[in-house]
Amino acid sequence: MFKLLLIEDDATLFNEVKERLSGWSYDVYGITDFAQVMQEFTATKPDLVIIDIQLPKFDGFHWCRMIRSHSSVPILFLSSRDHPSDMVMAMQLGADDFIQKPFHFDVLIAKIQAMLRRVYDYSSDSQIELKTWCGATVDYQKNTIANDAGSIELTKNEMFILRELINQKNKIVTREALIKSLWDDERFVSDNTLTVNVNRLRKKLDEIGIGHFIETKVGQGYMAADEAQLP
């Protein structure tokens, strides 16, 4: 049974979501002290976090940043805030997806199932864990990539995107193909979400000098270039 941590201060909504998710055999935990979210996160050890933006003490962006600094657990925002900048901020801080309230419960379930399947089925497969790309060692199991310039840790989404691009190195992977692979059903994801994830991946790769190897092919998609292919 997967453990989900629902960081939501609206007791009515929390109980409704918990009841419905429990019906899908998820073990749902909440927060008892919103000043101690990290302590409760550590104690719970959830497989996925669902978090609101507007919370007591500190907002959801703060806790997303804190969680992401300690863990690569999937994070899904569930918020009534509807400004595009809120979604962009969530993704830049390391969230994997964003659902706006009010929401259809079927959409929430679909996203949770897709995120858990992508993260945990992928983690347990038998593929090669280490890959060399552009002079860097990519560790699929640990979600890290390292070269002589240093080592960086990627989120599950970022590593999934990088793996898909590396597997088709020097070939254009369309945006549609990435969305379908990453979220399983393109009806439940915006095109902007993919853009934010790719930009975040490239920015992290820039830290070790290889961000330019992820090329944007305007109107088509993305390509992971090989060092030998660049001019």
Side-chain angles (χ1 to χ4, degrees):
M1 181 180 290
F2 285 109
K3 291 193 293 184
L4 311 184
L5 179 61
L6 176 55
I7 307 176
E8 169 62 66
D9 65 321
D10 183 326
T12 300
L13 179 60
F14 173 84
N15 289 328
E16 180 181 353
V17 174
K18 178 179 180 178
E19 180 180 358
R20 299 195 68 176
L21 289 178
S22 296
W24 285 77
S25 299
Y26 294 119
D27 198 2
V28 182
Y29 293 79
I31 298 296
T32 58
D33 183 351
F34 283 90
Q36 304 292 327
V37 170
M38 282 307 297
Q39 288 85 336
E40 298 194 31
F41 167 81
T42 301
T44 303
K45 296 182 175 62
D47 299 299
L48 183 145
V49 174
I50 304 171
I51 187 170
D52 193 5
I53 294 178
Q54 294 174 284
L55 296 169
K57 305 294 183 182
F58 300 97
D59 66 19
F61 293 140
H62 170 82
W63 294 121
C64 179
R65 184 186 299 108
M66 294 295 292
I67 291 170
R68 187 55 76 226
S69 69
H70 291 83
S71 171
S72 60
V73 65
I75 298 175
L76 170 63
F77 268 87
L78 189 61
S79 177
S80 58
R81 300 259 288 261
D82 60 357
H83 197 280
S85 63
D86 292 318
M87 177 183 290
V88 172
M89 175 65 77
M91 296 301 174
Q92 288 177 338
L93 291 175
D96 296 276
D97 217 327
F98 191 106
I99 299 178
Q100 183 185 338
K101 300 175 185 176
F103 59 93
H104 292 286
F105 190 76
D106 288 346
V107 174
L108 177 61
I109 283 292
K111 283 183 176 287
I112 289 173
Q113 290 176 333
M115 291 169 70
L116 291 172
R117 182 166 56 250
R118 181 175 73 248
V119 171
Y120 297 105
D121 285 357
Y122 163 53
S123 296
S124 62
D125 66 24
S126 58
Q127 67 174 324
I128 297 174
E129 294 180 359
L130 296 178
K131 185 89 171 181
T132 300
W133 172 66
C134 295
T137 299
V138 184
D139 190 325
Y140 292 135
Q141 189 66 29
K142 295 180 179 179
N143 292 319
T144 60
I145 179 167
N147 60 15
D148 292 340
S151 176
I152 56 174
E153 182 174 352
L154 304 179
T155 66
K156 299 290 187 179
N157 270 3
E158 292 161 0
M159 181 57 81
F160 190 94
I161 291 170
L162 182 61
R163 184 192 68 165
E164 291 292 300
L165 295 177
I166 290 176
N167 284 347
Q168 300 187 61
K169 186 172 57 178
N170 298 321
K171 295 180 181 178
I172 297 173
V173 181
T174 67
R175 295 178 61 86
E176 292 76 14
L178 278 174
I179 289 173
K180 193 174 182 67
S181 296
L182 191 55
W183 283 275
D184 295 319
D185 192 330
E186 58 268 33
R187 291 176 300 174
F188 296 137
V189 65
S190 71
D191 192 63
N192 184 58
T193 305
L194 176 63
T195 300
V196 171
N197 274 272
V198 173
N199 288 343
R200 194 172 64 199
L201 168 63
R202 189 183 284 120
K203 184 176 180 180
K204 286 188 177 181
L205 294 176
D206 279 337
E207 295 177 21
I208 57 174
I210 57 175
H212 59 288
F213 288 110
I214 301 295
E215 301 180 17
T216 298
K217 300 298 183 180
V218 179
Q220 301 177 73
Y222 304 96
M223 183 178 77
D226 194 347
E227 194 170 11
Q229 297 295 320
L230 291 182

